[in-house]
Amino acid sequence: MRIGLFGGSFDPVHNGHLTLAASCAEQGGLDAVWFVPAALQPFKLHGPVASDADRVAMLRLAILDMPDREVSTLEIDRGGVSYTVDTLRQLSAELPEAELFFLMGADTLRDLPGWREPDEVLRMATPMVVQRPGEAEVATDVPHLRIEMPPRDISSSDIRRRLTLGESIAGLVPPAVAAYIDEHKLYR
């Protein structure tokens, strides 16, 4: 089984995240994509704005009708700073027959040498690097699969900013996620 792991804050999950996952699943021949919300990202130690429960609930709503998508709460359950190497170790032990990939943008590939135990990360999983249109190719020795993605100019920080200002987020997040945000008065 080929499983793509997509980590991040997902604060909130948006249509760009879903497009990235779909592009990787299709072009990389993945059997499943698991969204892995981080407890605390090493480069964003201030933490997410929404609670862990809200971020997980929004992810589950976003993938409700997608049987090949899952939400894994292992990093939230573990707590503390979420390191890819720890997640991969745990999943490799639990799923020894699975071939693991981790999904990332080209900008993140540049940062890979600064991750905790990057050689071990690359031993356990293959990066699937999303190349956005117009983005410069990253020069790297890191073996990876290159994935093309249609342009999506969406960011979680922009969605939070829009909500703070009372602006519409229609078309930026799935309708069920927008309804959840509104009902729970998130990011106000």
PDB file of all heavy atoms in Angstrom, residues 23-62:
ATOM      1  N   SER A  23      -3.525  16.010  -6.234  1.00  0.00           N
ATOM      2  CA  SER A  23      -2.452  15.983  -7.238  1.00  0.00           C
ATOM      3  C   SER A  23      -1.441  14.896  -6.916  1.00  0.00           C
ATOM      4  O   SER A  23      -1.010  14.146  -7.798  1.00  0.00           O
ATOM      5  CB  SER A  23      -1.756  17.347  -7.317  1.00  0.00           C
ATOM      6  OG  SER A  23      -2.660  18.358  -7.714  1.00  0.00           O
ATOM      7  N   CYS A  24      -1.060  14.790  -5.653  1.00  0.00           N
ATOM      8  CA  CYS A  24      -0.083  13.778  -5.232  1.00  0.00           C
ATOM      9  C   CYS A  24      -0.661  12.373  -5.366  1.00  0.00           C
ATOM     10  O   CYS A  24       0.031  11.453  -5.828  1.00  0.00           O
ATOM     11  CB  CYS A  24       0.368  14.030  -3.800  1.00  0.00           C
ATOM     12  SG  CYS A  24       1.423  15.478  -3.622  1.00  0.00           S
ATOM     13  N   ALA A  25      -1.921  12.194  -4.972  1.00  0.00           N
ATOM     14  CA  ALA A  25      -2.545  10.869  -5.058  1.00  0.00           C
ATOM     15  C   ALA A  25      -2.593  10.410  -6.509  1.00  0.00           C
ATOM     16  O   ALA A  25      -2.242   9.266  -6.818  1.00  0.00           O
ATOM     17  CB  ALA A  25      -3.947  10.903  -4.457  1.00  0.00           C
ATOM     18  N   GLU A  26      -3.001  11.301  -7.400  1.00  0.00           N
ATOM     19  CA  GLU A  26      -3.158  10.945  -8.803  1.00  0.00           C
ATOM     20  C   GLU A  26      -1.813  10.719  -9.484  1.00  0.00           C
ATOM     21  O   GLU A  26      -1.565   9.676 -10.080  1.00  0.00           O
ATOM     22  CB  GLU A  26      -3.932  12.052  -9.524  1.00  0.00           C
ATOM     23  CG  GLU A  26      -4.184  11.759 -10.987  1.00  0.00           C
ATOM     24  CD  GLU A  26      -4.927  12.897 -11.667  1.00  0.00           C
ATOM     25  OE1 GLU A  26      -5.901  13.407 -11.079  1.00  0.00           O
ATOM     26  OE2 GLU A  26      -4.509  13.273 -12.772  1.00  0.00           O
ATOM     27  N   GLN A  27      -0.915  11.682  -9.391  1.00  0.00           N
ATOM     28  CA  GLN A  27       0.360  11.588 -10.109  1.00  0.00           C
ATOM     29  C   GLN A  27       1.334  10.625  -9.448  1.00  0.00           C
ATOM     30  O   GLN A  27       2.200  10.059 -10.118  1.00  0.00           O
ATOM     31  CB  GLN A  27       0.998  12.978 -10.229  1.00  0.00           C
ATOM     32  CG  GLN A  27       0.180  13.934 -11.082  1.00  0.00           C
ATOM     33  CD  GLN A  27       0.712  15.342 -11.002  1.00  0.00           C
ATOM     34  OE1 GLN A  27       1.909  15.592 -11.079  1.00  0.00           O
ATOM     35  NE2 GLN A  27      -0.197  16.303 -10.820  1.00  0.00           N
ATOM     36  N   GLY A  28       1.215  10.436  -8.127  1.00  0.00           N
ATOM     37  CA  GLY A  28       2.129   9.552  -7.421  1.00  0.00           C
ATOM     38  C   GLY A  28       1.599   8.145  -7.235  1.00  0.00           C
ATOM     39  O   GLY A  28       2.256   7.310  -6.604  1.00  0.00           O
ATOM     40  N   GLY A  29       0.406   7.880  -7.737  1.00  0.00           N
ATOM     41  CA  GLY A  29      -0.166   6.535  -7.618  1.00  0.00           C
ATOM     42  C   GLY A  29      -0.388   6.101  -6.180  1.00  0.00           C
ATOM     43  O   GLY A  29      -0.147   4.950  -5.828  1.00  0.00           O
ATOM     44  N   LEU A  30      -0.863   7.023  -5.348  1.00  0.00           N
ATOM     45  CA  LEU A  30      -1.084   6.698  -3.931  1.00  0.00           C
ATOM     46  C   LEU A  30      -2.406   5.970  -3.736  1.00  0.00           C
ATOM     47  O   LEU A  30      -3.397   6.264  -4.401  1.00  0.00           O
ATOM     48  CB  LEU A  30      -1.080   7.975  -3.090  1.00  0.00           C
ATOM     49  CG  LEU A  30       0.215   8.782  -3.100  1.00  0.00           C
ATOM     50  CD1 LEU A  30       0.045  10.060  -2.274  1.00  0.00           C
ATOM     51  CD2 LEU A  30       1.382   7.954  -2.568  1.00  0.00           C
ATOM     52  N   ASP A  31      -2.403   5.021  -2.814  1.00  0.00           N
ATOM     53  CA  ASP A  31      -3.638   4.332  -2.443  1.00  0.00           C
ATOM     54  C   ASP A  31      -4.440   5.143  -1.435  1.00  0.00           C
ATOM     55  O   ASP A  31      -5.658   5.016  -1.361  1.00  0.00           O
ATOM     56  CB  ASP A  31      -3.314   2.959  -1.828  1.00  0.00           C
ATOM     57  CG  ASP A  31      -2.620   2.057  -2.829  1.00  0.00           C
ATOM     58  OD1 ASP A  31      -3.207   1.804  -3.900  1.00  0.00           O
ATOM     59  OD2 ASP A  31      -1.480   1.626  -2.550  1.00  0.00           O
ATOM     60  N   ALA A  32      -3.737   5.968  -0.654  1.00  0.00           N
ATOM     61  CA  ALA A  32      -4.396   6.782   0.370  1.00  0.00           C
ATOM     62  C   ALA A  32      -3.532   7.998   0.690  1.00  0.00           C
ATOM     63  O   ALA A  32      -2.311   7.962   0.527  1.00  0.00           O
ATOM     64  CB  ALA A  32      -4.610   5.959   1.641  1.00  0.00           C
ATOM     65  N   VAL A  33      -4.207   9.052   1.147  1.00  0.00           N
ATOM     66  CA  VAL A  33      -3.510  10.228   1.693  1.00  0.00           C
ATOM     67  C   VAL A  33      -4.018  10.417   3.110  1.00  0.00           C
ATOM     68  O   VAL A  33      -5.233  10.476   3.345  1.00  0.00           O
ATOM     69  CB  VAL A  33      -3.766  11.504   0.858  1.00  0.00           C
ATOM     70  CG1 VAL A  33      -3.155  12.724   1.547  1.00  0.00           C
ATOM     71  CG2 VAL A  33      -3.202  11.361  -0.550  1.00  0.00           C
ATOM     72  N   TRP A  34      -3.084  10.482   4.028  1.00  0.00           N
ATOM     73  CA  TRP A  34      -3.420  10.729   5.429  1.00  0.00           C
ATOM     74  C   TRP A  34      -3.015  12.149   5.786  1.00  0.00           C
ATOM     75  O   TRP A  34      -1.852  12.530   5.631  1.00  0.00           O
ATOM     76  CB  TRP A  34      -2.672   9.760   6.343  1.00  0.00           C
ATOM     77  CG  TRP A  34      -3.108   8.334   6.245  1.00  0.00           C
ATOM     78  CD1 TRP A  34      -3.956   7.773   5.327  1.00  0.00           C
ATOM     79  CD2 TRP A  34      -2.695   7.273   7.097  1.00  0.00           C
ATOM     80  NE1 TRP A  34      -4.094   6.432   5.562  1.00  0.00           N
ATOM     81  CE2 TRP A  34      -3.332   6.095   6.644  1.00  0.00           C
ATOM     82  CE3 TRP A  34      -1.851   7.200   8.201  1.00  0.00           C
ATOM     83  CZ2 TRP A  34      -3.145   4.861   7.263  1.00  0.00           C
ATOM     84  CZ3 TRP A  34      -1.665   5.979   8.818  1.00  0.00           C
ATOM     85  CH2 TRP A  34      -2.311   4.819   8.347  1.00  0.00           C
ATOM     86  N   PHE A  35      -3.973  12.927   6.268  1.00  0.00           N
ATOM     87  CA  PHE A  35      -3.694  14.264   6.781  1.00  0.00           C
ATOM     88  C   PHE A  35      -3.261  14.099   8.236  1.00  0.00           C
ATOM     89  O   PHE A  35      -3.954  13.438   9.025  1.00  0.00           O
ATOM     90  CB  PHE A  35      -4.941  15.141   6.703  1.00  0.00           C
ATOM     91  CG  PHE A  35      -5.328  15.508   5.291  1.00  0.00           C
ATOM     92  CD1 PHE A  35      -6.063  14.639   4.497  1.00  0.00           C
ATOM     93  CD2 PHE A  35      -4.947  16.728   4.750  1.00  0.00           C
ATOM     94  CE1 PHE A  35      -6.414  14.968   3.198  1.00  0.00           C
ATOM     95  CE2 PHE A  35      -5.289  17.077   3.454  1.00  0.00           C
ATOM     96  CZ  PHE A  35      -6.028  16.194   2.677  1.00  0.00           C
ATOM     97  N   VAL A  36      -2.111  14.668   8.579  1.00  0.00           N
ATOM     98  CA  VAL A  36      -1.545  14.498   9.919  1.00  0.00           C
ATOM     99  C   VAL A  36      -1.377  15.878  10.556  1.00  0.00           C
ATOM    100  O   VAL A  36      -0.336  16.528  10.401  1.00  0.00           O
ATOM    101  CB  VAL A  36      -0.183  13.768   9.864  1.00  0.00           C
ATOM    102  CG1 VAL A  36       0.316  13.453  11.273  1.00  0.00           C
ATOM    103  CG2 VAL A  36      -0.268  12.487   9.017  1.00  0.00           C
ATOM    104  N   PRO A  37      -2.418  16.365  11.259  1.00  0.00           N
ATOM    105  CA  PRO A  37      -2.284  17.683  11.887  1.00  0.00           C
ATOM    106  C   PRO A  37      -1.238  17.657  13.003  1.00  0.00           C
ATOM    107  O   PRO A  37      -1.208  16.746  13.830  1.00  0.00           O
ATOM    108  CB  PRO A  37      -3.679  17.972  12.428  1.00  0.00           C
ATOM    109  CG  PRO A  37      -4.368  16.647  12.504  1.00  0.00           C
ATOM    110  CD  PRO A  37      -3.729  15.759  11.482  1.00  0.00           C
ATOM    111  N   ALA A  38      -0.359  18.652  12.981  1.00  0.00           N
ATOM    112  CA  ALA A  38       0.721  18.742  13.958  1.00  0.00           C
ATOM    113  C   ALA A  38       0.196  19.269  15.287  1.00  0.00           C
ATOM    114  O   ALA A  38      -0.712  20.106  15.322  1.00  0.00           O
ATOM    115  CB  ALA A  38       1.814  19.678  13.435  1.00  0.00           C
ATOM    116  N   ALA A  39       0.788  18.783  16.369  1.00  0.00           N
ATOM    117  CA  ALA A  39       0.509  19.371  17.674  1.00  0.00           C
ATOM    118  C   ALA A  39       1.181  20.739  17.701  1.00  0.00           C
ATOM    119  O   ALA A  39       0.527  21.772  17.836  1.00  0.00           O
ATOM    120  CB  ALA A  39       1.028  18.469  18.787  1.00  0.00           C
ATOM    121  N   LEU A  40       2.507  20.746  17.546  1.00  0.00           N
ATOM    122  CA  LEU A  40       3.289  21.980  17.414  1.00  0.00           C
ATOM    123  C   LEU A  40       4.317  21.742  16.329  1.00  0.00           C
ATOM    124  O   LEU A  40       5.068  20.775  16.391  1.00  0.00           O
ATOM    125  CB  LEU A  40       4.030  22.310  18.717  1.00  0.00           C
ATOM    126  CG  LEU A  40       3.266  22.963  19.848  1.00  0.00           C
ATOM    127  CD1 LEU A  40       4.165  23.115  21.066  1.00  0.00           C
ATOM    128  CD2 LEU A  40       2.713  24.315  19.439  1.00  0.00           C
ATOM    129  N   GLN A  41       4.361  22.622  15.334  1.00  0.00           N
ATOM    130  CA  GLN A  41       5.361  22.481  14.288  1.00  0.00           C
ATOM    131  C   GLN A  41       6.677  23.097  14.771  1.00  0.00           C
ATOM    132  O   GLN A  41       6.671  24.143  15.414  1.00  0.00           O
ATOM    133  CB  GLN A  41       4.898  23.180  13.005  1.00  0.00           C
ATOM    134  CG  GLN A  41       3.776  22.434  12.308  1.00  0.00           C
ATOM    135  CD  GLN A  41       3.422  23.088  10.997  1.00  0.00           C
ATOM    136  OE1 GLN A  41       2.843  24.154  10.977  1.00  0.00           O
ATOM    137  NE2 GLN A  41       3.772  22.432   9.907  1.00  0.00           N
ATOM    138  N   PRO A  42       7.810  22.470  14.442  1.00  0.00           N
ATOM    139  CA  PRO A  42       9.098  22.978  14.912  1.00  0.00           C
ATOM    140  C   PRO A  42       9.384  24.417  14.477  1.00  0.00           C
ATOM    141  O   PRO A  42      10.057  25.152  15.184  1.00  0.00           O
ATOM    142  CB  PRO A  42      10.113  22.028  14.265  1.00  0.00           C
ATOM    143  CG  PRO A  42       9.350  20.810  13.898  1.00  0.00           C
ATOM    144  CD  PRO A  42       7.940  21.232  13.690  1.00  0.00           C
ATOM    145  N   PHE A  43       8.846  24.831  13.318  1.00  0.00           N
ATOM    146  CA  PHE A  43       9.119  26.179  12.825  1.00  0.00           C
ATOM    147  C   PHE A  43       7.977  27.145  13.114  1.00  0.00           C
ATOM    148  O   PHE A  43       8.005  28.294  12.694  1.00  0.00           O
ATOM    149  CB  PHE A  43       9.419  26.138  11.316  1.00  0.00           C
ATOM    150  CG  PHE A  43      10.580  25.227  10.999  1.00  0.00           C
ATOM    151  CD1 PHE A  43      10.371  24.014  10.378  1.00  0.00           C
ATOM    152  CD2 PHE A  43      11.878  25.577  11.356  1.00  0.00           C
ATOM    153  CE1 PHE A  43      11.433  23.164  10.102  1.00  0.00           C
ATOM    154  CE2 PHE A  43      12.938  24.729  11.088  1.00  0.00           C
ATOM    155  CZ  PHE A  43      12.719  23.524  10.452  1.00  0.00           C
ATOM    156  N   LYS A  44       6.948  26.683  13.839  1.00  0.00           N
ATOM    157  CA  LYS A  44       5.803  27.527  14.208  1.00  0.00           C
ATOM    158  C   LYS A  44       5.444  27.239  15.661  1.00  0.00           C
ATOM    159  O   LYS A  44       4.360  26.751  15.957  1.00  0.00           O
ATOM    160  CB  LYS A  44       4.586  27.224  13.323  1.00  0.00           C
ATOM    161  CG  LYS A  44       4.768  27.528  11.861  1.00  0.00           C
ATOM    162  CD  LYS A  44       3.480  27.201  11.094  1.00  0.00           C
ATOM    163  CE  LYS A  44       3.630  27.449   9.621  1.00  0.00           C
ATOM    164  NZ  LYS A  44       2.425  27.058   8.870  1.00  0.00           N
ATOM    165  N   LEU A  45       6.342  27.528  16.559  1.00  0.00           N
ATOM    166  CA  LEU A  45       6.161  27.117  17.950  1.00  0.00           C
ATOM    167  C   LEU A  45       5.088  27.904  18.703  1.00  0.00           C
ATOM    168  O   LEU A  45       4.744  27.549  19.816  1.00  0.00           O
ATOM    169  CB  LEU A  45       7.496  27.178  18.701  1.00  0.00           C
ATOM    170  CG  LEU A  45       8.513  26.132  18.234  1.00  0.00           C
ATOM    171  CD1 LEU A  45       9.827  26.281  18.995  1.00  0.00           C
ATOM    172  CD2 LEU A  45       7.975  24.719  18.394  1.00  0.00           C
ATOM    173  N   HIS A  46       4.551  28.983  18.096  1.00  0.00           N
ATOM    174  CA  HIS A  46       3.461  29.705  18.747  1.00  0.00           C
ATOM    175  C   HIS A  46       2.178  28.876  18.724  1.00  0.00           C
ATOM    176  O   HIS A  46       1.249  29.127  19.460  1.00  0.00           O
ATOM    177  CB  HIS A  46       3.228  31.070  18.106  1.00  0.00           C
ATOM    178  CG  HIS A  46       3.054  31.009  16.618  1.00  0.00           C
ATOM    179  ND1 HIS A  46       1.876  30.610  16.034  1.00  0.00           N
ATOM    180  CD2 HIS A  46       3.920  31.257  15.604  1.00  0.00           C
ATOM    181  CE1 HIS A  46       2.019  30.636  14.714  1.00  0.00           C
ATOM    182  NE2 HIS A  46       3.250  31.016  14.431  1.00  0.00           N
ATOM    183  N   GLY A  47       2.132  27.855  17.858  1.00  0.00           N
ATOM    184  CA  GLY A  47       1.011  26.927  17.826  1.00  0.00           C
ATOM    185  C   GLY A  47      -0.143  27.404  16.970  1.00  0.00           C
ATOM    186  O   GLY A  47      -0.192  28.558  16.550  1.00  0.00           O
ATOM    187  N   PRO A  48      -1.066  26.495  16.715  1.00  0.00           N
ATOM    188  CA  PRO A  48      -2.231  26.837  15.904  1.00  0.00           C
ATOM    189  C   PRO A  48      -3.188  27.754  16.659  1.00  0.00           C
ATOM    190  O   PRO A  48      -3.157  27.821  17.885  1.00  0.00           O
ATOM    191  CB  PRO A  48      -2.880  25.481  15.625  1.00  0.00           C
ATOM    192  CG  PRO A  48      -2.349  24.552  16.649  1.00  0.00           C
ATOM    193  CD  PRO A  48      -1.033  25.098  17.107  1.00  0.00           C
ATOM    194  N   VAL A  49      -4.048  28.435  15.901  1.00  0.00           N
ATOM    195  CA  VAL A  49      -5.040  29.336  16.483  1.00  0.00           C
ATOM    196  C   VAL A  49      -6.243  28.543  16.979  1.00  0.00           C
ATOM    197  O   VAL A  49      -6.697  28.717  18.100  1.00  0.00           O
ATOM    198  CB  VAL A  49      -5.476  30.405  15.441  1.00  0.00           C
ATOM    199  CG1 VAL A  49      -6.587  31.279  15.992  1.00  0.00           C
ATOM    200  CG2 VAL A  49      -4.275  31.243  15.013  1.00  0.00           C
ATOM    201  N   ALA A  50      -6.757  27.636  16.128  1.00  0.00           N
ATOM    202  CA  ALA A  50      -7.900  26.803  16.514  1.00  0.00           C
ATOM    203  C   ALA A  50      -7.413  25.649  17.399  1.00  0.00           C
ATOM    204  O   ALA A  50      -6.246  25.255  17.341  1.00  0.00           O
ATOM    205  CB  ALA A  50      -8.592  26.254  15.269  1.00  0.00           C
ATOM    206  N   SER A  51      -8.315  25.111  18.180  1.00  0.00           N
ATOM    207  CA  SER A  51      -7.960  23.984  19.055  1.00  0.00           C
ATOM    208  C   SER A  51      -7.671  22.740  18.206  1.00  0.00           C
ATOM    209  O   SER A  51      -8.067  22.648  17.042  1.00  0.00           O
ATOM    210  CB  SER A  51      -9.109  23.681  20.020  1.00  0.00           C
ATOM    211  OG  SER A  51     -10.191  23.103  19.307  1.00  0.00           O
ATOM    212  N   ASP A  52      -6.992  21.774  18.823  1.00  0.00           N
ATOM    213  CA  ASP A  52      -6.737  20.501  18.141  1.00  0.00           C
ATOM    214  C   ASP A  52      -8.057  19.861  17.707  1.00  0.00           C
ATOM    215  O   ASP A  52      -8.180  19.376  16.578  1.00  0.00           O
ATOM    216  CB  ASP A  52      -5.978  19.541  19.060  1.00  0.00           C
ATOM    217  CG  ASP A  52      -4.560  20.006  19.380  1.00  0.00           C
ATOM    218  OD1 ASP A  52      -4.057  20.913  18.691  1.00  0.00           O
ATOM    219  OD2 ASP A  52      -3.972  19.458  20.330  1.00  0.00           O
ATOM    220  N   ALA A  53      -9.041  19.857  18.600  1.00  0.00           N
ATOM    221  CA  ALA A  53     -10.334  19.238  18.291  1.00  0.00           C
ATOM    222  C   ALA A  53     -11.001  19.926  17.099  1.00  0.00           C
ATOM    223  O   ALA A  53     -11.569  19.251  16.227  1.00  0.00           O
ATOM    224  CB  ALA A  53     -11.247  19.282  19.517  1.00  0.00           C
ATOM    225  N   ASP A  54     -10.932  21.253  17.036  1.00  0.00           N
ATOM    226  CA  ASP A  54     -11.538  21.980  15.913  1.00  0.00           C
ATOM    227  C   ASP A  54     -10.804  21.696  14.605  1.00  0.00           C
ATOM    228  O   ASP A  54     -11.439  21.483  13.563  1.00  0.00           O
ATOM    229  CB  ASP A  54     -11.542  23.492  16.179  1.00  0.00           C
ATOM    230  CG  ASP A  54     -12.612  23.913  17.181  1.00  0.00           C
ATOM    231  OD1 ASP A  54     -13.677  23.269  17.235  1.00  0.00           O
ATOM    232  OD2 ASP A  54     -12.383  24.899  17.904  1.00  0.00           O
ATOM    233  N   ARG A  55      -9.475  21.649  14.639  1.00  0.00           N
ATOM    234  CA  ARG A  55      -8.718  21.383  13.411  1.00  0.00           C
ATOM    235  C   ARG A  55      -9.007  19.975  12.884  1.00  0.00           C
ATOM    236  O   ARG A  55      -9.180  19.772  11.689  1.00  0.00           O
ATOM    237  CB  ARG A  55      -7.215  21.577  13.654  1.00  0.00           C
ATOM    238  CG  ARG A  55      -6.852  23.029  13.905  1.00  0.00           C
ATOM    239  CD  ARG A  55      -5.364  23.272  14.055  1.00  0.00           C
ATOM    240  NE  ARG A  55      -4.786  22.521  15.147  1.00  0.00           N
ATOM    241  CZ  ARG A  55      -3.715  21.732  15.048  1.00  0.00           C
ATOM    242  NH1 ARG A  55      -3.088  21.580  13.903  1.00  0.00           N
ATOM    243  NH2 ARG A  55      -3.242  21.101  16.110  1.00  0.00           N
ATOM    244  N   VAL A  56      -9.090  19.003  13.791  1.00  0.00           N
ATOM    245  CA  VAL A  56      -9.401  17.620  13.396  1.00  0.00           C
ATOM    246  C   VAL A  56     -10.830  17.545  12.849  1.00  0.00           C
ATOM    247  O   VAL A  56     -11.072  16.914  11.817  1.00  0.00           O
ATOM    248  CB  VAL A  56      -9.196  16.650  14.578  1.00  0.00           C
ATOM    249  CG1 VAL A  56      -9.782  15.275  14.275  1.00  0.00           C
ATOM    250  CG2 VAL A  56      -7.711  16.543  14.919  1.00  0.00           C
ATOM    251  N   ALA A  57     -11.762  18.206  13.504  1.00  0.00           N
ATOM    252  CA  ALA A  57     -13.159  18.186  13.044  1.00  0.00           C
ATOM    253  C   ALA A  57     -13.269  18.795  11.644  1.00  0.00           C
ATOM    254  O   ALA A  57     -13.971  18.246  10.777  1.00  0.00           O
ATOM    255  CB  ALA A  57     -14.056  18.945  14.029  1.00  0.00           C
ATOM    256  N   MET A  58     -12.574  19.906  11.392  1.00  0.00           N
ATOM    257  CA  MET A  58     -12.626  20.537  10.070  1.00  0.00           C
ATOM    258  C   MET A  58     -12.009  19.631   9.007  1.00  0.00           C
ATOM    259  O   MET A  58     -12.538  19.517   7.894  1.00  0.00           O
ATOM    260  CB  MET A  58     -11.934  21.908  10.095  1.00  0.00           C
ATOM    261  CG  MET A  58     -12.727  22.969  10.839  1.00  0.00           C
ATOM    262  SD  MET A  58     -11.990  24.627  10.753  1.00  0.00           S
ATOM    263  CE  MET A  58     -10.627  24.478  11.918  1.00  0.00           C
ATOM    264  N   LEU A  59     -10.890  18.967   9.338  1.00  0.00           N
ATOM    265  CA  LEU A  59     -10.284  18.028   8.393  1.00  0.00           C
ATOM    266  C   LEU A  59     -11.239  16.890   8.060  1.00  0.00           C
ATOM    267  O   LEU A  59     -11.404  16.519   6.892  1.00  0.00           O
ATOM    268  CB  LEU A  59      -8.982  17.453   8.968  1.00  0.00           C
ATOM    269  CG  LEU A  59      -7.729  18.272   8.751  1.00  0.00           C
ATOM    270  CD1 LEU A  59      -6.596  17.772   9.640  1.00  0.00           C
ATOM    271  CD2 LEU A  59      -7.304  18.234   7.288  1.00  0.00           C
ATOM    272  N   ARG A  60     -11.884  16.346   9.069  1.00  0.00           N
ATOM    273  CA  ARG A  60     -12.814  15.228   8.835  1.00  0.00           C
ATOM    274  C   ARG A  60     -13.982  15.668   7.961  1.00  0.00           C
ATOM    275  O   ARG A  60     -14.434  14.913   7.094  1.00  0.00           O
ATOM    276  CB  ARG A  60     -13.281  14.648  10.163  1.00  0.00           C
ATOM    277  CG  ARG A  60     -12.161  13.875  10.848  1.00  0.00           C
ATOM    278  CD  ARG A  60     -12.620  13.065  12.038  1.00  0.00           C
ATOM    279  NE  ARG A  60     -11.527  12.207  12.480  1.00  0.00           N
ATOM    280  CZ  ARG A  60     -11.146  12.064  13.745  1.00  0.00           C
ATOM    281  NH1 ARG A  60     -11.780  12.698  14.713  1.00  0.00           N
ATOM    282  NH2 ARG A  60     -10.144  11.277  14.048  1.00  0.00           N
ATOM    283  N   LEU A  61     -14.470  16.886   8.162  1.00  0.00           N
ATOM    284  CA  LEU A  61     -15.543  17.403   7.312  1.00  0.00           C
ATOM    285  C   LEU A  61     -15.060  17.588   5.872  1.00  0.00           C
ATOM    286  O   LEU A  61     -15.788  17.303   4.922  1.00  0.00           O
ATOM    287  CB  LEU A  61     -16.056  18.740   7.861  1.00  0.00           C
ATOM    288  CG  LEU A  61     -16.906  18.656   9.123  1.00  0.00           C
ATOM    289  CD1 LEU A  61     -17.119  20.049   9.709  1.00  0.00           C
ATOM    290  CD2 LEU A  61     -18.244  17.982   8.828  1.00  0.00           C
ATOM    291  N   ALA A  62     -13.828  18.053   5.716  1.00  0.00           N
ATOM    292  CA  ALA A  62     -13.280  18.333   4.384  1.00  0.00           C
ATOM    293  C   ALA A  62     -13.122  17.072   3.541  1.00  0.00           C
ATOM    294  O   ALA A  62     -13.220  17.133   2.320  1.00  0.00           O
ATOM    295  CB  ALA A  62     -11.936  19.048   4.509  1.00  0.00           C
TER     296      ALA A  62
END
